[in-house]
Amino acid sequence: MKRDATPVIEVRSLQKVYASQGAAPVQALQDIDFSIREGAFVSIVGPSGCGKSTLLQILGGLLPASAGQVLVAGTPVTGPMPGKIALVFQDATLMPWKSAIDNVLFPLEIQKVPREERLRRGDQYLKLVGLEGAAHRLPHQLSGGMKQRVSIARGLAQEPRIILMDEPFGALDEQNRIKMGHELLRIWEATGKTIVLITHSLTEAIFLSDTVIVMGAHPGRILERVEIELPRPRTYDVIGSPEFGAIRNRLWRMIEIEPTDDDTRAVAPEL
Ligand SMILES: Nc1ncnc2c1ncn2[C@@H]1O[C@H](COP(=O)(O)OP(=O)(O)O)[C@@H](O)[C@H]1O
Ligand SMILES: [Mg+2]
C-alpha cells in the first residue's frame, strides 16, 4: 500500500487545563507534541486520568485546546470534521429505535450524501465488519461485539481519513475483544485509514500498532513514543514471542511507576 510521508495529524505544543469552580484547575495535557503519518495505526496507552480521552476529543474537534494546535492534513481543527475524522467510543451509542443499517446511514443523511451512495456505503461497510446478515436487526437484538461493529461501520461509512477510537472494546469480554482487535487489523489493512486507538490493554496496543504513545499523568504528558517493528501481517503467535514480551515489559515499567487517578490500575499487562 502506498503511503504518504506527510503527517496527516500534527499536534503542536498542546495544552489543556480544566478550570472548575471551587476546585484547583487540572492540567489535563501539558506540552503535547507528535505527528502521525497517513495510514498509520497508532495506540495511546497510559494510566487512568492521564488525559487520553481529553486528547482524543481535542483531536476530533469535540473539545477546544487551552493552547497549542492540532492540524489535520495541514488544516487547524476548530470543530468536528465529518468526512475527515470519525470517532468511535467505548459505548456503541446506537440509536435503539433504528436498525443496524439505519444507524450506519444516519450520519450520512445529516451530511446529505445522496441516497444511492448512502445505501452503497451502508452495504459495503456492514459487510466489511461481517454484519451483512444483521442489517435489519435493532440494537437490542445484537450482542455487545456486534453493536460495536455497527459503530465501527458507522465510522467507516463516513469514509474519513482518520478514525479516532476511545477504548472501543473496553466493554467486551476478553474473547470478543481479541476477535475485534483482529477484525480491526483486517479492516485497517483493507482500507488504509489512519487509526488512533486508546486502549488499556498493552497487548492490544502492541499487537495492532505501528507506534504506541505512552502517556503519564499529573500533568498529562507523553512519556515516550515506541515504534513497534514487529513484521506484518501479524498473527496471534507473535504475542508469545520474546520480542513481544520485551516490548510489553518495557511499556509496563514506564506506566507502572506513574500515579493514577484511582486505586484500580487502568493499564493491565495482559489482555
Ligand atoms: N470536564 C472535566 N472537568 C474537569 N476535569 C476533567 C474533565 N474531564 C476530565 N478531567 C480531568 O482531566 C484529567 C484527564 O482526564 P481524561 O482525559 O478523562 O483521562 P483518561 O481518559 O486518560 O482517563 C483527569 O484528572 C480528569 O479528572
Ligand atoms: Mg478515558
Side-chain angles (χ1 to χ4, degrees), residues 28-29 47-56 198 215-217 220:
L29 295 173
S48 172
C50 72
K52 303 179 296 294
S53 295
T54 299
L55 176 58
L56 210 77
I198 293 176
M215 291 182 67

Side-chain angles (χ1 to χ4, degrees), residues 16-20 24-29 44-57 63 166-167 198 215 217-218 220 261-262 266:
K16 180 68 185 180
V17 178
Y18 288 110
S20 47
V26 176
Q27 177 98 43
L29 295 173
I44 301 176
V45 299
S48 172
C50 72
K52 303 179 296 294
S53 295
T54 299
L55 176 58
L56 210 77
Q57 287 176 68
L63 195 66
D166 194 347
E167 307 213 10
I198 293 176
M215 291 182 67
H218 309 298
D261 262 8
D262 48 47

Side-chain angles (χ1 to χ4, degrees), residues 167-186:
E167 307 213 10
F169 313 136
L172 305 181
D173 59 46
E174 186 172 314
Q175 206 181 347
N176 272 308
R177 189 185 180 108
I178 292 172
K179 262 205 222 146
M180 284 302 304
H182 225 171
E183 195 74 352
L184 184 59
L185 210 48
R186 189 181 62 73

Side-chain angles (χ1 to χ4, degrees), residues 125-147:
Y125 292 104
L126 273 184
K127 191 162 176 220
L128 189 66
V129 301
L131 285 181
E132 64 271 41
H136 299 290
R137 288 203 218 164
L138 291 167
H140 80 267
Q141 298 168 314
L142 302 170
S143 70
M146 290 164 97
K147 276 192 265 205

